[in-house]
Amino acid sequence: MDNNKISIKDIAKFSGYSVSTVSRVLNHTGRFTEATRKKIIKIANQHHYRQNVIAQGMRSGSLSIIGVLVPDITNSYYASIVKKCEQYFFQYGYLTIVCNTNRDPALEQKYIAQLGNHFVDGLIIISTQLTLDNKNLNTFIPTVFIDRFPKSTRNSVLISSDNYTGAVLATQHLLDNNVYPVMVTTKDNNFSSNQKRLRGFKDTARKSGIVSPQIITLSNNSDNLENATKNLRQLLNNIIKKHERSGIFAVNDNLGVYIHQIAMKLNIKVPDTLRIIGFDDSTHAKEAQLSTIKQDINKLALLSCQNLISLLKKELISNRKIIIPVSLIKRQTT
Amino acid sequence: MDNNKISIKDIAKFSGYSVSTVSRVLNHTGRFTEATRKKIIKIANQHHYRQNVIAQGMRSGSLSIIGVLVPDITNSYYASIVKKCEQYFFQYGYLTIVCNTNRDPALEQKYIAQLGNHFVDGLIIISTQLTLDNKNLNTFIPTVFIDRFPKSTRNSVLISSDNYTGAVLATQHLLDNNVYPVMVTTKDNNFSSNQKRLRGFKDTARKSGIVSPQIITLSNNSDNLENATKNLRQLLNNIIKKHERSGIFAVNDNLGVYIHQIAMKLNIKVPDTLRIIGFDDSTHAKEAQLSTIKQDINKLALLSCQNLISLLKKELISNRKIIIPVSLIKRQTT
DNA sequence: GATATTTGCGCAAACGTTTTCGCAAATGGA
DNA sequence: TCCATTTGCGAAAACGTTTGCGCAAATATC
């Protein structure tokens, strides 16, 4: 029985034609008679011939694969991006290798090193490192960085949402609600996106006359919120004691939803006593009816894909740092 | 400047050694002096040599890639499985190509055909087709099918949760609550998993004396729940009018959570007037405090990976159809 | 010091394609 | 009928590895 090891050579042998003719027929290039085409195709089908992309890649120098690195595909934000990318690239003839870096810089490096061995034509990276050690990126693989950028890059495009303006919108929204704004964030604030959100909050609060805007940094990262619960209860109680009308700007929706839940457990009325706004517009936020700043994930993903394709085609790229507008979504928590 | 096109040949030239010696040094195989090793490694590093997996694949016949097909990576159930698989396979030296089949059988076929061209060593498939047309699977790629199985398979392992028993547990739980059980499902019920859940419900309800158990099939699939809202409102009202204490067994958590939300909007008290139980134990269910049947996703994914690796190693596999136990999770909706 | 063994390394083939070049046969134009 | 062009197809090289084989030099054995 012929299992899957039928090559173009075998077909050449069986059909009596040469390897080159078989190749031309199979690729519909060059010259051949309709008669030979039929014979060759027939034999190829009979033997369940499958083209060997490895050998093709050997010749062309490419496997037509794109690598996508995300911290954790279980997170709906990353999942959405990965899905869009995968579907977009498939239309352009690329398959997508997905890597969960698990917020581990060393693992991220491993993946990049591995993918750098001529596996992929291009990369989409949502990095977990503040300064991406680009030792492994010096193979100059065309790369689109989303949200978090390495210090210096070559052959790449940087894309992110407008985190600063988003924070301004959120803070201003709280101020417009006539509440005292407090920002709650996590230790992950070495991410450039989080830093921009902090800055937007501070600037806006100061502009409204608050001299030293209050920022609460929880000790744990956003994955491990449970551990921060005790702190959070105290903090929430403190906040509502201090200002009779206060509003929390949570650095992301996960945190915002979590704060909302704790407030409910503490019988703190939202939005009457406490207002809450998040950032991201995740599915969680939708379900919890959390006000938030909406990132245009579709646009983000689409632009990432388009720019990567442009990089691959070596087209001229005018704007190598793209900022995508965000918008305020008012829901029940403000 | 040497970009990323440095081959083992170039290093041979630069170092004065032969290609074979360079290869042996780089792979730490065969014989060579420490001195030559140092020289070669140095030159390789200087020129940023990266091994070419395509050429290696050419020789070995494999790229060490696994393909994972899921309907939609945005769904947390599939995302969890993909993540586990990807991480497991990476430890074993495999990268993972992820494909969103988008519940489109034709697209699924396209992916399988593409991956069949010697791209992958093995496949994990959560199919969207009732009967998987295995024309493209006759390349005998080792495959693990999760949840939904094709009619006939070769070189594959089938794995799913115990959907039947899960449905029995859910239904019995409602009966134990002394409520009249109604099952709500969607048009996706051509999936073998859903069919098993239906059967489990019917059997259990009948056993309790209900002659013709009530099953409501919503017209739209689980992605498009909004369109079913109007129906659902009427249905819920009908149900609670008919039986003073009723309980809904939703075929999956998405649907269960959705029903819960609508019930709240209709001011139907849950669990007092209406009890609800879902299936899957998704994150949504946790957040909504929905009672549910918990699938052991970790075990499911782990066994899938282990069995695929076994298939790849051509190990003897005793059990080619694996059923994973489920358990009842009682929360606030029952 | 002669023989046997080990060591270090090079040669060349092979993996499955695609593509350039060239040649013979077929076709066209007068 | 003769020459020019077109057509169909084959030979061979190339892509970057790995690896079996062999050979000379180095080392060990007595």
Side-chain angles (χ1 to χ4, degrees), chain A residues 81-264:
Chain A
I81 292 176
V82 168
K83 184 184 175 189
K84 286 272 168 200
C85 291
E86 189 272 314
Q87 292 185 323
Y88 186 93
F89 291 134
F90 190 64
Q91 287 190 317
Y92 278 76
Y94 294 91
L95 290 169
T96 300
I97 286 179
V98 174
C99 307
N100 292 280
T101 63
N102 219 15
R103 294 172 219 279
D104 175 352
L107 187 57
E108 182 174 296
Q109 284 301 314
K110 255 193 181 175
Y111 275 115
I112 293 176
Q114 178 75 280
L115 293 174
N117 293 332
H118 303 264
F119 257 118
V120 298
D121 295 6
L123 286 172
I124 302 254
I125 299 183
I126 306 182
S127 176
T128 76
Q129 302 178 255
L130 182 54
T131 304
L132 216 140
D133 171 11
N134 46 12
K135 186 179 60 190
N136 278 308
L137 285 176
N138 59 12
T139 50
F140 307 132
I141 303 174
T143 303
V144 169
F145 290 94
I146 297 180
D147 282 355
R148 310 188 257 282
F149 312 144
K151 276 276 155 56
S152 76
T153 64
R154 280 211 242 187
N155 209 5
S156 61
V157 171
L158 317 177
I159 300 187
S160 89
S161 286
D162 192 344
N163 289 294
Y164 180 84
T165 304
V168 170
L169 285 177
T171 313
Q172 192 58 50
H173 180 56
L174 291 178
L175 292 169
D176 293 344
N177 273 243
N178 273 323
V179 298
Y180 183 82
V182 177
M183 178 157 185
V184 181
T185 180
T186 64
K187 271 272 167 84
D188 286 334
N189 59 5
N190 54 354
F191 287 165
S192 55
S193 53
N194 287 11
Q195 288 174 335
K196 296 235 168 79
R197 293 176 194 180
L198 277 176
R199 198 128 35 82
F201 170 74
K202 278 190 206 162
D203 290 355
T204 312
R206 288 215 180 96
K207 240 182 220 164
S208 82
I210 297 172
V211 184
S212 56
Q214 191 180 349
I215 294 174
I216 295 167
T217 304
L218 299 182
S219 48
N220 295 85
N221 70 21
S222 49
D223 292 331
N224 234 341
L225 285 176
E226 278 84 10
N227 298 344
T229 306
K230 216 169 37 183
N231 292 340
L232 210 47
R233 286 175 183 245
Q234 289 179 350
L235 288 168
L236 288 190
N237 276 323
N238 287 346
I239 289 172
I240 61 170
K241 262 176 211 151
K242 214 162 173 180
H243 308 274
E244 63 187 293
R245 289 174 58 84
S246 20
I248 288 181
F249 169 34
V251 74
N252 59 49
D253 280 345
N254 280 352
L255 188 55
V257 169
Y258 195 65
I259 289 173
H260 185 28
Q261 287 172 354
I262 291 186
M264 289 196 297

Side-chain angles (χ1 to χ4, degrees), chain A residues 52-64 118 121, chain B residues 5 52 54:
Chain A
N52 188 318
V53 290
I54 310 181
Q56 291 172 328
M58 177 92 222
R59 260 216 124 235
S60 67
S62 145
L63 290 171
S64 294
H118 303 264
D121 295 6
Chain B
K5 295 300 176 194
N52 188 317
I54 309 181

Side-chain angles (χ1 to χ4, degrees), chain B residues 1-35:
Chain B
M1 297 277 241
D2 44 16
N3 35 13
N4 53 349
K5 295 300 176 194
I6 298 301
S7 80
I8 226 175
K9 269 187 193 167
D10 300 315
I11 299 187
K13 220 181 295 168
F14 295 145
S15 67
Y17 289 97
S18 74
V19 174
S20 19
T21 299
V22 175
S23 171
R24 278 189 292 257
V25 165
L26 259 27
N27 294 312
H28 261 89
T29 61
R31 300 187 287 232
F32 49 84
T33 336
E34 176 61 15

Side-chain angles (χ1 to χ4, degrees), chain A residues 22-88:
Chain A
V22 174
S23 171
R24 278 189 294 255
V25 165
L26 258 27
N27 294 311
H28 261 91
T29 61
R31 299 188 287 232
F32 49 83
T33 336
E34 176 61 15
T36 72
R37 196 189 73 85
K38 275 190 181 158
K39 281 185 215 163
I40 288 178
I41 291 290
K42 189 179 171 189
I43 293 187
N45 286 338
Q46 276 177 352
H47 294 270
H48 302 123
Y49 168 76
R50 316 236 61 178
Q51 43 177 315
N52 188 318
V53 290
I54 310 181
Q56 291 172 328
M58 177 92 222
R59 260 216 124 235
S60 67
S62 145
L63 290 171
S64 294
I65 297 181
I66 302 291
V68 178
L69 274 75
V70 294
D72 176 5
I73 197 147
T74 280
N75 177 311
S76 68
Y77 173 70
Y78 302 129
S80 300
I81 292 176
V82 168
K83 184 184 175 189
K84 286 272 168 200
C85 291
E86 189 272 314
Q87 292 185 323
Y88 186 93

Side-chain angles (χ1 to χ4, degrees), chain A residues 1-6 48 50-55 57-58 61-65 71-74 76 79-80 82-83 86-87 90 93 95-102 107 110-119 136 138-141 154 257 261 283-284 287, chain B residues 1-6 48 50-55 57-58 61-65 71-74 76 79-80 82-83 86-87 90 93 95-102 107 110-119 136 138-141 154 257 261 283-284 287:
Chain A
M1 294 280 242
D2 44 16
N3 34 12
N4 54 348
K5 296 301 177 193
I6 298 302
H48 302 123
R50 316 236 61 178
Q51 43 177 315
N52 188 318
V53 290
I54 310 181
M58 177 92 222
S62 145
L63 290 171
S64 294
I65 297 181
D72 176 5
I73 197 147
T74 280
S76 68
S80 300
V82 168
K83 184 184 175 189
E86 189 272 314
Q87 292 185 323
F90 190 64
L95 290 169
T96 300
I97 286 179
V98 174
C99 307
N100 292 280
T101 63
N102 219 15
L107 187 57
K110 255 193 181 175
Y111 275 115
I112 293 176
Q114 178 75 280
L115 293 174
N117 293 332
H118 303 264
F119 257 118
N136 278 308
N138 59 12
T139 50
F140 307 132
I141 303 174
R154 280 211 242 187
V257 169
Q261 287 172 354
T283 51
H284 295 235
E287 284 161 17
Chain B
M1 297 277 241
D2 44 16
N3 35 13
N4 53 349
K5 295 300 176 194
I6 298 301
H48 301 122
R50 317 237 61 178
Q51 44 178 311
N52 188 317
V53 291
I54 309 181
M58 178 91 224
S62 146
L63 291 170
S64 293
I65 298 181
D72 176 5
I73 199 149
T74 281
S76 69
S80 301
V82 168
K83 184 183 175 189
E86 189 274 312
Q87 292 185 323
F90 190 64
L95 291 169
T96 299
I97 287 180
V98 173
C99 308
N100 292 279
T101 62
N102 218 16
L107 187 56
K110 255 193 180 175
Y111 275 115
I112 293 178
Q114 179 75 283
L115 294 173
N117 294 332
H118 303 265
F119 257 118
N136 278 308
N138 58 13
T139 50
F140 306 132
I141 303 175
R154 281 211 241 187
V257 169
Q261 287 174 354
T283 51
H284 295 236
E287 284 160 17

